[in-house]
Amino acid sequence: MNAAVRDAFNEQIKQELYSGYLYLSMSAHFDQENLPGFAHWMRLQAQEELGHGMRLFDYVLRRGAKVELRGIDAPQTDFGPPLSVVESVLEHERAVTGMIHRLFELSGQEGDWAAQQELQWFIAEQVEEEDSAATARDQVRMAGEDLSALLMLDQQFGSRVAEPEQA
Ligand code: MG
């Protein structure tokens, strides 16, 4: 792994951990807003993001390159109504997709084909992340001002289970 690719992977480890931090903050927000199902869902998302960070961490180590952990920014703590939170999730996932694509591009420019192969997993994962965030956003939008619909969604999100780690 050359220095440019290594630095970019180290940066992405931070970004994945930041995503976990952001979703944990959203989880706390939902818990305080008496939406335990939404809180549970965001907690699962946070764990998934930590898993992404660890996957990159392990990959850098496997390549014999130096892991350099960077400072993680503090996530926001004030969020608006449920619809704006799920809109933020989708927006955030789209931004992460852009980061992964740029990392893939850089790996290609640097001739690091192995890194590109590892990143294929993340490219596919981002399609799933955006799809599930968009579905949640659409469902919350459909609930609109109907509180009973929102509570039904909360129950639905509360029954989600962690997805098994794919190879
Ligand atoms: Mg991620």
Side-chain angles (χ1 to χ4, degrees):
M1 233 180 196
N2 74 18
V5 175
R6 178 204 60 205
D7 288 350
F9 266 73
N10 275 312
E11 177 64 19
Q12 195 58 35
I13 290 172
K14 182 192 90 172
Q15 292 295 345
E16 298 294 339
L17 296 182
Y18 171 74
S19 297
Y21 235 36
L22 176 64
Y23 294 161
L24 210 48
S25 190
M26 288 175 174
S27 177
H29 164 77
F30 281 129
D31 189 82
Q32 283 171 330
E33 294 292 313
N34 298 312
L35 290 168
F38 280 79
H40 168 76
W41 168 49
M42 291 318 300
R43 183 182 284 237
L44 290 182
Q45 290 301 115
Q47 284 166 352
E48 213 175 273
E49 298 305 336
L50 301 182
H52 293 166
M54 291 312 295
R55 187 179 172 114
L56 292 169
F57 175 90
D58 286 335
Y59 184 74
V60 172
L61 290 177
R62 209 153 62 238
R63 291 289 302 275
K66 189 172 188 212
V67 166
E68 278 175 346
L69 296 179
R70 300 176 175 185
I72 303 169
D73 297 337
Q76 64 191 97
T77 51
D78 293 321
F79 299 93
L83 181 58
S84 58
V85 184
V86 290
E87 277 170 346
S88 298
V89 172
L90 179 57
E91 201 176 306
H92 183 69
E93 287 301 334
R94 284 176 175 160
V96 172
T97 298
M99 291 173 200
I100 297 290
H101 290 176
R102 284 194 294 279
L103 192 45
F104 185 85
E105 196 175 20
L106 175 74
S107 301
Q109 282 162 1
E110 300 295 329
D112 195 331
W113 317 121
Q116 282 201 323
Q117 195 212 14
E118 171 65 14
L119 291 168
Q120 296 279 6
W121 183 90
F122 283 89
I123 291 170
E125 175 69 9
Q126 284 311 117
V127 173
E128 299 305 315
E129 296 281 17
E130 284 192 33
D131 180 47
S132 91
T135 301
R137 187 269 321 261
D138 291 346
Q139 288 177 330
V140 175
R141 190 180 273 167
M142 278 188 274
E145 300 296 310
D146 183 350
L147 283 181
S148 58
L150 188 68
L151 289 177
M152 266 177 61
L153 269 182
D154 189 61
Q155 283 208 335
Q156 186 191 311
F157 289 153
S159 65
R160 290 199 178 185
V161 291
E163 283 173 25
E165 180 89 10
Q166 301 152 276

